[in-house]
Amino acid sequence: MFDEENIPNENPIDQDGSTEEPSEEISDPSDDPDAVSRLKSKLDEAYGKQEDLHSKYLRTFADLDNLRKRSIRDRDEAIQRTKKQILEDLLPVIDSFNIGIDAAMKESPDGPLVKGFKMAIEQLDSVLEEYGLVRIEAVGENFDPQFHEAIGYENSDREGVVLKIVRNGYKIKDQLLRPACVVVSKVEVEGK
């Protein structure tokens, strides 16, 4: 069966319940000034490593956060560039629709062709507005070279007011996509 006396005991306990003393004696570090200075230098070294690791951790975390923000910004800029390119490509199509409706209105202002063109233009304008395309309203406004391109002048009693739009201008939010081609008022100088 099982005999307890034959099992080697790695941690022998005395009869009074105390363990055996280790073979090496541990001395009090305060008795040895060299030991104290060694322990202090090791502790300082450990704190230095800990501070270095913490600093590296913070830098790495900041770098990752900056990378995340830059990725989001780059993605948004790419989306905006693509959206701008697509909208620029659609501007001649919009111009063609406007030319078509003008021609159809001369022929039959209340005819089915005009109604169809108007419906198509309204749908197209609605979809393009969802993508941020805004038509530059110019008639009656003061001429603004930032948003208007003057292609002609007409005499009027007021100077520098947009009288007609020859070709619509567009912007995406506040960014100019294409200036409006306009006819601007000009006060006629007497004697000329």
Side-chain angles (χ1 to χ4, degrees), residues 81-99 120-121 123-135 167-172 177-178:
R81 278 193 310 272
T82 303
K83 190 186 301 186
K84 181 181 176 188
Q85 184 61 48
I86 290 171
L87 292 174
E88 282 177 340
D89 291 344
L90 286 175
L91 292 182
V93 174
I94 296 169
D95 292 340
S96 296
F97 270 112
N98 288 328
I99 291 169
I121 289 173
Q123 282 181 322
L124 187 60
D125 286 345
S126 174
V127 169
L128 295 176
E129 278 182 24
E130 289 179 19
Y131 287 95
L133 186 70
V134 178
R135 181 180 293 138
R167 185 183 74 187
N168 287 320
Y170 295 93
K171 58 185 179 176
I172 300 174
L177 194 58
R178 179 178 82 182

Side-chain angles (χ1 to χ4, degrees), residues 47-80:
Y47 278 131
K49 286 181 182 178
Q50 187 266 341
E51 287 176 10
D52 184 45
L53 288 174
H54 187 260
S55 174
K56 285 180 181 177
Y57 165 76
L58 291 177
R59 279 193 304 270
T60 303
F61 184 78
D63 288 344
L64 285 173
D65 191 46
N66 289 337
L67 179 63
R68 180 186 60 81
K69 289 176 184 176
R70 187 171 43 248
S71 296
I72 290 170
R73 186 176 58 244
D74 289 348
R75 185 194 69 211
D76 290 344
E77 287 174 0
I79 289 170
Q80 291 303 320

